[in-house]
Amino acid sequence: MNLVIVESPAKAKTISKFLGKKYNVVASYGHIRDLPQKSFGVDIENGFKPKYVVPKDKKPIVDSIKKSSKDASVVYIATDEDREGEAIGWHIVNAAKIDESKIKRIVFHEITKSAITNSIESYRSIDINMVNSQEARRILDRIVGYKLSPLLAKKIQKGLSAGRVQSVALKLIVDREDEIQKFIPQEYWTIHIIFEGNINAQLYKIDSKSLGKLDIKTQKEAQEIAEKIKKEQFMVKSITKRKTSKKPEAPFITSTLQMTASNILGFSAQKTMRIAQKLYEGVDIGKQRVGLITYMRTDSFNVAKEAQDKALNLIKEILGEQYVPKKANIYKTKSKTAQEAHEAIRPSEPSMLPDMAKPHLTNDEYKLYNLIWKRFMASQTTPAEFNSVSIVFASETFEAKANFRELLFDGYLRFWNYSKPDVSDIPQLKKNSPIGLKNVEPKQHFTEPPPRYTEASLIKELEKYGIGRPSTYAAIIGTIILRGYVQIKEKKFYPLEIGITTSKMLDKFFSSIINVKFTAKMEEGLDKIAQQKLDKIELLSDFYQKFKSLLDVAYEKMENLKPKPQETDIVCDKCGAKMVIREGRYGRFLACSNYPKCKNTKPLDEEKTDIICDKCGAPMVVKYSKKGTKFLACSNYPKCKNTKPYPTGLKCPECGGDLIEYSSKRGKFYGCSNYPECKFTVRGTLKNASCPKCGYTLFVKRKDGWHCARKGCDYKEEE
């Protein structure tokens, strides 16, 4: 019996169907060991040596793998092909103490029978350079998170945390907000001349001098020019015709998939990656279980020749010979760090048309597969061809231009029908012929500030500067949302006050390392470790020396921005000292200034709500139980003793119902408002946010940070 180890049970299920009874395919459920939750876990003085521990919930998995490996002739490590997957495989081998003579590392870009069979025949050893690169990243993130978070908690607000890469993403959003707030719009005007045949041409020259965008500044200027135009006689000065073509875009890589799915489907980066993961790991198509797409964490545009040949044959079959390029389309990435051994994201089998897969997919899975299939097929098709015409109309003083474009051959647009080309009917005019003027329309405009980032444009910016890698984009965005530093409104990022404050303080004291250029340089350094061009300890040591000196200065000089207790004239009824207003877990409250000798506290004010009592019609107010649980009570108490559970604003991750706060003998917990149909319950401090790893929409706060609330998911936000 041979043992095959993968990360996810879905992947294991698909692969086991290909390999048969001679192979035992098991899942590690992601990472099986990590740095400790309750301590730093990195021995800086001893070469940044990490201390790895196996979490309690992973010990049964490790024990099972250890037992299975002893009985196996060969142990195939089949974790994902990126650095994270390489590291997971290395940790499995070490934690389960697998005999190294049995180990064979296999990788594949797609989960199909041929790909799995070929990978078993072309095994290799675990790439320790890739492992070192991932380990260096993990240690860097632990150093920044573990050392910066206490500083922020001490100086700004308890519970804050910072990350090496996420803080740069936050800075981009905050800096953009600064630009928007400081932006002063400028008025300008354009003048449109409507000729016979409703031809709309824009004025672009006066007395042979080209107009700049802001040259016509006021309505008065625009009206004066318009009145002069009305008195002029115009003719067709020139007609310029040329044939143009538009090439198809490359097949998807991680960043472009996330951007396009956001723009076209409205999917978040986390949702896109969650669905893509399922399409990659396998779905049941009739009696077969197959992976529908290739690996979705990639920065390479490469396409396997076999897949390309299949696509070209399919194009010829569906559309005809004229849609097949004479020479196959090849796309090269501009990124110097792209892993060219990888492939672009494409359908595993091009002949699996979206409508064939549709009955076996959810609606969202179908939408994403359809997007990936169409983009890949379009990328292999001929360019679209256009007839472009530019017509200049001139009088003695003025010149106006109108541009037209008609589609001659649709090419790749037969597949990629998400964006229609800008085409129009070309008017039949003759050069030097006069043309009548119907109307002149001045139009007012204002310069606009740079737009707020969307998920798509933020990912594009991160990719542009080399910040993060394909596997990290969704996690970066998910983390800054989860931490409460930003919020998304109308698909745009808005920094929250605490996010702005945190970013400004980090920029003030850590600008030399928390910036775009330095972070991109660190990513290049991690790539060099993977390529065995840089020593891991050298990179970590250089970073820590810079970071430690900045941290010492920040502890000494950073302003304490924590709100100070606010004095009142209210006297403590236990000791006679003045009461002060403090900020607490449940908001503002009165506390004795003689604390800790006197621990007397009182509610500050009853928090009124817009909720009306359904028994007497009076407003409801917020109250707290003896255990600290919020609830609603009628303000007409004691005449009306109506109470209700407090609406938390949290959503049930199982059914989407409201989570309601309850108390029991074991303390506070949350339950679904749809009980008994939905029996979901959870304890702890909660936050609604999408898990970048599994897509679950709830996080729970533990001592070491926020964890995905889904059982079996090991994703956590690094402190």
Side-chain angles (χ1 to χ4, degrees):
M1 178 69 74
N2 297 318
L3 180 65
V4 180
I5 306 172
V6 297
E7 297 106 311
S8 79
K11 195 174 178 182
K13 186 178 178 183
T14 306
I15 292 172
S16 63
K17 290 195 175 183
F18 296 141
L19 294 178
K21 295 180 179 179
K22 291 184 180 180
Y23 292 83
N24 177 23
V25 187
V26 300
S28 70
Y29 289 83
H31 280 279
I32 62 168
R33 68 177 190 176
D34 197 2
L35 298 174
Q37 294 181 355
K38 296 181 180 179
S39 61
F40 183 42
V42 179
D43 187 350
I44 291 172
E45 303 301 323
N46 189 21
F48 295 88
K49 187 177 180 180
K51 176 188 176 184
Y52 291 116
V53 296
V54 177
K56 189 177 179 181
D57 62 332
K58 294 288 186 175
K59 285 180 180 177
I61 298 171
V62 174
D63 291 340
S64 176
I65 291 174
K66 184 185 288 188
K67 184 179 178 182
S68 298
S69 68
K70 285 180 180 178
D71 300 329
S73 303
V74 178
V75 179
Y76 292 98
I77 303 297
T79 48
D80 288 344
E81 58 179 328
D82 54 15
R83 287 195 299 235
E84 200 74 17
E86 204 75 18
I88 290 173
W90 181 80
H91 282 293
I92 290 169
V93 169
N94 285 273
K97 297 179 181 177
I98 301 172
D99 184 348
E100 289 190 15
S101 65
K102 295 181 178 182
I103 297 165
K104 292 182 178 180
R105 173 74 167 117
I106 60 173
V107 295
F108 34 82
H109 303 296
E110 59 190 21
I111 303 179
T112 59
K113 188 170 184 177
S114 60
I116 303 302
T117 304
N118 290 338
S119 71
I120 287 175
E121 293 174 357
S122 56
Y123 61 86
R124 59 171 173 81
S125 58
I126 289 175
D127 188 334
I128 197 63
N129 296 314
M130 289 178 71
V131 175
N132 284 337
S133 177
Q134 189 276 342
E135 186 172 80
R137 177 190 288 279
R138 186 72 186 90
I139 292 170
L140 281 172
D141 291 341
R142 173 53 67 101
I143 289 171
V144 174
Y146 219 90
K147 300 292 185 181
L148 261 189
S149 298
L151 171 70
L152 300 179
K154 181 179 180 181
K155 300 287 189 176
I156 301 175
Q157 181 179 297
K158 188 177 179 181
L160 291 184
S161 56
R164 180 180 62 88
V165 180
Q166 294 88 345
S167 296
V168 178
L170 175 62
K171 176 176 166 55
L172 288 171
I173 294 169
V174 171
D175 287 352
R176 177 60 57 88
E177 192 66 25
D178 278 349
E179 288 182 68
I180 292 169
Q181 297 305 324
K182 292 174 182 176
F183 182 81
I184 300 172
Q186 288 182 268
E187 180 183 6
Y188 70 97
W189 289 73
T190 56
I191 296 176
H192 297 260
I193 306 172
I194 314 302
F195 294 104
E196 287 176 347
N198 289 323
I199 299 170
N200 189 330
Q202 185 172 329
L203 180 69
Y204 83 107
K205 278 186 179 181
I206 300 177
D207 291 327
S208 299
K209 182 183 177 183
S210 295
L211 283 172
K213 178 180 176 179
L214 304 178
D215 281 359
I216 305 175
K217 300 181 184 301
T218 66
Q219 183 178 16
K220 183 181 178 183
E221 289 178 68
Q223 290 290 0
E224 287 175 354
I225 293 169
E227 290 305 317
K228 290 178 182 177
I229 290 172
K230 289 176 183 178
K231 298 173 183 177
E232 299 269 330
Q233 297 293 320
F234 283 84
M235 59 175 286
V236 179
K237 181 181 179 181
S238 65
I239 301 174
T240 306
K241 296 180 180 180
R242 60 192 179 99
K243 284 189 177 181
T244 60
S245 64
K246 183 172 173 57
K247 293 179 180 179
E249 292 185 83
F252 285 130
I253 57 176
T254 303
S255 59
T256 55
L257 175 63
Q258 291 174 354
M259 286 184 257
T260 310
S262 174
N263 290 331
I264 292 177
L265 305 179
F267 288 179
S268 67
Q270 294 94 329
K271 181 176 180 177
T272 297
M273 296 309 287
R274 182 179 77 247
I275 297 170
Q277 182 88 33
K278 186 171 181 185
L279 294 174
Y280 165 69
E281 290 180 345
V283 296
D284 292 315
I285 305 287
K287 294 181 180 179
Q288 286 188 316
R289 185 172 179 84
V290 294
L292 287 180
I293 65 169
T294 53
Y295 191 55
M296 63 285 150
R297 294 186 182 94
T298 176
D299 50 12
S300 171
F301 290 127
N302 278 355
V303 174
K305 188 177 185 309
E306 182 185 359
Q308 192 169 53
D309 289 343
K310 286 180 179 180
L312 294 173
N313 288 332
L314 188 61
I315 292 166
K316 183 178 178 180
E317 181 184 327
I318 295 174
L319 301 180
E321 186 78 46
Q322 68 272 34
Y323 288 88
V324 179
K326 291 179 181 178
K327 188 178 178 182
N329 296 336
I330 303 294
Y331 300 90
K332 291 191 176 180
T333 180
K334 295 177 183 177
S335 172
K336 295 178 182 178
T337 59
Q339 300 180 66
E340 293 297 344
H342 291 184
E343 269 202 77
I345 303 168
R346 60 167 176 82
S348 303
E349 182 53 65
S351 61
M352 178 59 74
L353 275 59
D355 285 348
M356 292 167 61
K358 189 174 184 179
H360 311 284
L361 304 175
T362 66
N363 190 41
D364 285 344
E365 288 166 0
Y366 167 73
K367 286 179 180 177
L368 192 65
Y369 179 68
N370 191 43
L371 193 76
I372 292 168
W373 187 89
K374 285 185 172 181
R375 177 65 164 253
F376 173 67
M377 294 302 292
S379 74
Q380 303 305 308
T381 311
T382 49
E385 295 176 2
F386 300 89
N387 189 14
S388 297
V389 176
S390 179
I391 304 176
V392 175
F393 304 91
S395 68
E396 189 175 328
T397 309
F398 304 101
E399 288 186 31
K401 185 186 290 184
N403 295 313
F404 303 90
R405 188 170 69 158
E406 64 180 358
L407 182 64
L408 298 176
F409 177 68
D410 52 6
Y412 77 93
L413 295 169
R414 285 288 292 273
F415 287 115
W416 194 251
N417 56 1
Y418 290 102
S419 53
K420 292 183 179 179
D422 182 19
V423 294
S424 54
D425 293 331
I426 298 174
Q428 300 303 309
L429 299 173
K430 290 183 179 180
K431 184 180 176 182
N432 297 327
S433 62
I435 188 165
L437 186 150
K438 289 182 68 177
N439 196 15
V440 182
E441 298 177 356
K443 291 185 179 180
Q444 184 186 40
H445 309 274
F446 291 93
T447 54
E448 295 183 349
R452 289 183 174 87
Y453 286 111
T454 61
E455 281 204 12
S457 60
L458 183 59
I459 289 168
K460 188 174 183 179
E461 197 81 348
L462 294 173
E463 185 186 42
K464 172 185 170 184
Y465 289 113
I467 299 169
R469 287 296 179 263
S471 60
T472 64
Y473 297 135
I476 291 168
I477 290 171
T479 300
I480 58 175
I481 296 171
L482 180 64
R483 287 177 175 171
Y485 290 149
V486 301
Q487 64 179 345
I488 294 180
K489 292 190 293 185
E490 297 176 345
K491 297 185 178 181
K492 296 183 179 70
F493 283 106
Y494 287 77
L496 297 171
E497 194 61 41
I498 192 64
I500 294 171
T501 301
T502 301
S503 185
K504 297 285 187 187
M505 287 297 101
L506 290 175
D507 196 37
K508 185 174 181 180
F509 290 93
F510 298 91
S511 60
S512 61
I513 63 170
I514 297 180
N515 65 62
V516 166
K517 288 184 179 178
F518 185 84
T519 306
K521 186 179 177 183
M522 290 302 293
E523 293 290 353
E524 289 175 8
L526 293 169
D527 288 337
K528 286 180 180 178
I529 293 172
Q531 297 157 8
Q532 209 175 355
K533 294 179 180 178
L534 180 65
D535 181 67
K536 174 181 68 177
I537 306 303
E538 183 184 340
L539 179 139
L540 292 170
S541 181
D542 287 349
F543 173 80
Y544 186 72
Q545 287 175 17
K546 293 186 183 93
F547 178 69
K548 182 66 168 61
S549 61
L550 296 172
L551 190 68
D552 292 341
V553 172
Y555 265 106
E556 181 185 348
K557 296 187 177 181
M558 186 182 284
E559 182 184 357
N560 191 332
L561 300 176
K562 277 187 168 181
K564 295 179 181 178
Q566 185 181 337
E567 294 184 0
T568 73
D569 294 326
I570 302 169
V571 175
C572 174
D573 54 7
K574 290 191 176 180
C575 73
K578 291 284 182 73
M579 302 285 278
V580 294
I581 298 172
R582 290 185 179 274
E583 295 278 347
R585 185 176 177 183
Y586 304 112
R588 304 198 323 154
F589 65 98
L590 287 170
C592 183
S593 60
N594 203 18
Y595 179 86
K597 290 183 179 179
C598 178
K599 297 181 180 179
N600 188 24
T601 62
K602 287 184 175 184
L604 181 60
D605 287 308
E606 289 183 334
E607 184 186 335
K608 293 182 180 179
T609 72
D610 296 329
I611 301 169
I612 302 299
C613 175
D614 53 5
K615 291 191 175 179
C616 73
M620 304 287 277
V621 294
V622 179
K623 296 276 190 181
Y624 292 93
S625 70
K626 291 180 180 180
K627 295 178 180 178
T629 303
K630 270 185 178 182
F631 66 94
L632 294 174
C634 183
S635 59
N636 205 16
Y637 179 88
K639 289 182 180 180
C640 178
K641 298 180 180 179
N642 186 26
T643 62
K644 285 184 174 184
Y646 182 79
T648 61
L650 298 166
K651 293 293 181 182
C652 173
E654 296 292 335
C655 73
D658 294 320
L659 288 184
I660 293 170
E661 197 174 308
Y662 295 99
S663 291
S664 69
K665 290 180 181 179
R666 290 178 57 203
K668 183 174 71 174
F669 72 96
Y670 296 89
C672 183
S673 60
N674 290 330
Y675 179 86
E677 287 79 14
C678 179
K679 296 182 180 179
F680 176 81
T681 60
V682 65
R683 294 179 184 275
T685 303
L686 306 176
K687 181 182 285 188
N688 275 133
S690 291
C691 173
K693 187 170 183 180
C694 75
Y696 212 56
T697 56
L698 193 68
F699 275 72
V700 60
K701 177 80 168 167
R702 294 178 188 158
K703 289 183 179 179
D704 62 325
W706 291 96
H707 288 245
C708 177
R710 186 177 192 171
K711 268 190 176 182
C713 180
D714 61 357
Y715 180 80
K716 74 172 185 291
E717 175 202 325
E718 181 63 35
E719 285 286 3

